């Protein structure tokens, strides 16, 4: 009812949630920019760092420890995801498709050295953006979880109220 709507618009709560919301928004921007610069398999491998990063961040920032079995499972999942993402699925590599798209759509023709340098710079920027996405996503998630699980006045609002507050 009306009290829930009023709690959704509570300025103090919105300010508490704003770092997580801004972090997630910036992470989404980094993701879009990264995917435009690196092939999806490489992005998939880099994004798997979020599993280990989340466990490490929760351990460092909130003191929640994982058992050795949980760390082993996380490590195994990370290795399996990396192997899956690195396995070739098409005889035409993604970098060849990207090159073809650039030449045919933009009429852009360069020497081999210029093209190799530009491709390297694009990939490095893509990797940096993907790692930024992972870091922002992990830190925002841990902060958001902390805010969700704690309350200022002793009474924790309902989930729909919290989700509305984080959206502002």
């Amino acid at each position: 009812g009306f009290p829930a709507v009023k709690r959704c618009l509570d300025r103090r709560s919105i300010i508490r949630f704003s770092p997580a919301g801004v972090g997630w928004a910036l992470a989404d921007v980094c993701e879009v920019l990264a995917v435009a610069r690196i092939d999806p398999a490489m992005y998939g491998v880099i994004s798997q760092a979020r599993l280990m990063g989340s466990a490490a961040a929760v351990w460092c920032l909130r003191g929640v420890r994982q058992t050795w079995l949980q760390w082993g499972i996380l490590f195994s999942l990370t290795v399996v995801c990396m192997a899956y993402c690195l396995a070739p699925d098409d005889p035409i590599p993604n970098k060849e498709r990207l090159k073809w798209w650039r030449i045919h759509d933009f009429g852009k023709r360069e020497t081999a050295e210029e093209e190799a340098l530009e491709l390297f710079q694009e990939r490095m920027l893509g990797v940096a953006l993907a790692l930024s996405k992972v870091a922002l996503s992990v830190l925002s998630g841990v902060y958001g979880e902390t805010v969700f699980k704690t309350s200022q006045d002793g009474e924790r609002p309902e989930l729909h109220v919290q989700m509305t507050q984080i959206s502002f």
Side-chain angles (χ1 to χ4, degrees):
F2 185 71
V5 171
K6 188 175 178 182
R7 289 184 80 178
C8 288
L9 302 174
D10 180 41
R11 184 174 297 176
R12 288 184 307 148
S13 296
I14 291 172
I15 290 171
R16 283 183 65 215
F17 279 109
S18 64
V22 169
W24 282 321
L26 290 174
D28 288 344
V29 170
C30 288
E31 179 179 20
V32 169
L33 295 173
V35 169
R37 287 174 171 78
I38 56 177
D39 63 61
M42 184 182 290
Y43 179 77
V45 169
I46 293 170
S47 70
Q48 294 310 314
R50 193 171 41 216
L51 293 172
M52 297 291 278
S54 295
V58 167
W59 178 38
C60 291
L61 300 175
R62 299 198 60 224
V64 177
R65 295 186 182 267
Q66 310 295 328
T67 65
W68 283 108
L69 177 63
Q70 290 171 322
W71 281 112
I73 291 170
L74 280 172
F75 181 74
S76 299
L77 280 172
T78 302
V79 170
V80 168
C81 289
M82 289 172 65
Y84 177 78
C85 291
L86 293 175
D89 59 350
D90 199 353
I92 301 172
N94 287 330
K95 67 179 182 180
E96 290 296 322
R97 289 182 189 193
L98 184 60
K99 178 182 170 184
W100 182 86
W101 176 76
R102 285 182 176 166
I103 290 173
H104 287 87
D105 283 358
F106 296 117
K108 186 176 181 180
R109 300 190 192 281
E110 301 173 338
T111 66
E113 291 103 22
E114 289 174 338
E115 185 176 322
L117 179 62
E118 183 179 334
L119 185 60
F120 176 76
Q121 290 171 342
E122 285 285 315
R123 281 188 178 165
M124 288 300 104
L125 180 58
V127 167
L129 287 166
L131 290 171
S132 298
K133 188 266 192 262
V134 168
L136 285 167
S137 178
V138 164
L139 293 174
S140 297
V142 171
Y143 177 79
E145 179 185 6
T146 302
V147 174
F148 277 133
K149 291 184 176 181
T150 60
S151 118
Q152 290 180 332
D153 56 2
E155 182 183 336
R156 205 162 75 198
E158 299 85 15
L159 182 61
H160 67 277
V161 171
Q162 290 178 332
M163 294 308 292
T164 304
Q165 290 169 339
I166 205 165
S167 298
F168 287 118

